[in-house]
Amino acid sequence: MTTILILYYSRHGATRQLAELIAQGVESVPGCDARLRTVPAVSTVTQATEPDIPTEGAPYVEATDLQECAGLALGSPTRFGNMAAAMKYFWDGTAPQWLSGTLAGKPACVFTSTGSMHGGQESTLLSMMLPLLHHGMVLLGLPYTQPELMRTSTGGSPYGASHWAGVNGDKAVSQESHALAIALGQRLAQTAQKLQG
């Protein structure tokens, strides 16, 4: 099986919904398996504050997840046009994987959710690409052959899948965002298989 790591942070569940849709896309490709993982929240003094095992949702990511994956989908809610601190904190601790080239040459994509329509979806997607580029990953986006990119009014861009969750996180994932997240997962899985040869 080709394992695709779907690593996300979600505070209120919207980014987690996108992660699960991307996982559906990954697993729709024969021979591919999605591995959902998250990162713990951090305190205002940037220390992990969560228990060793999450009370719900995906397990926390470990170094072996990065090593074993053939591709990576990275997701975070938007925080002032940037990835959430918990996700940034995780990537700041990946120097050993960077030095050893653990992720070099593997395909990757990004996804996000925002509380407001113009809350920085695209800048957040771009911010998450930066550590992936430093790790030598091959970045994938969504091509305009996906017709939903021209119809969406809630999220989705050539940079990756996104969702406008609303201030209270009460907006459902739109039909277009749903389709784009699944398509992104499929594209990542197919690319990983091709790169594996």
Side-chain angles (χ1 to χ4, degrees):
M1 291 292 276
T2 300
T3 299
I4 304 298
L5 176 60
I6 302 170
L7 176 58
Y8 69 93
Y9 175 71
S10 188
R11 194 70 172 167
H12 302 292
T15 307
R16 179 180 173 180
Q17 286 180 327
L18 284 180
E20 291 167 350
L21 290 169
I22 290 170
Q24 283 181 31
V26 166
E27 293 187 342
S28 73
V29 176
C32 289
D33 179 51
R35 183 182 296 180
L36 287 162
R37 295 292 185 265
T38 190
V39 296
V42 293
S43 72
T44 56
V45 291
T46 321
Q47 296 172 339
T49 60
E50 300 293 320
D52 290 340
I53 300 172
T55 56
E56 63 180 348
Y60 293 135
V61 67
E62 297 177 358
T64 55
D65 293 314
L66 298 177
Q67 186 175 353
E68 293 171 358
C69 75
L72 169 69
L74 181 64
S76 171
T78 293
R79 296 292 185 264
F80 299 103
N82 204 332
M83 73 179 95
M87 188 58 74
K88 176 75 166 62
Y89 183 73
F90 168 77
W91 285 105
D92 285 349
T94 60
Q97 291 77 23
W98 170 69
L99 287 169
S100 66
T102 299
L103 295 171
K106 296 179 181 182
C109 64
V110 292
F111 60 99
T112 191
S113 63
T114 54
S116 61
M117 185 59 193
H118 301 288
Q121 289 183 3
E122 291 185 348
S123 61
T124 300
L125 294 171
L126 292 169
S127 78
M128 287 188 291
M129 290 179 182
L130 297 176
L132 303 181
L133 287 167
H134 279 261
H135 275 276
M137 299 196 83
V138 179
L139 294 179
L140 302 173
L142 284 164
Y144 276 95
T145 53
Q146 291 298 137
E148 295 84 4
L149 277 180
M150 296 301 285
R151 294 195 307 259
T152 184
S153 61
T154 61
S157 78
Y159 309 116
S162 60
H163 164 56
W164 173 34
V167 175
N168 298 317
D170 56 358
K171 294 194 178 296
V173 175
S174 71
Q175 182 178 358
E176 293 83 10
S177 292
H178 184 278
L180 290 169
I182 289 174
L184 188 60
Q186 289 171 333
R187 189 164 198 241
L188 177 61
Q190 291 165 347
T191 303
Q193 285 184 327
K194 288 176 183 175
L195 288 174
Q196 284 184 323

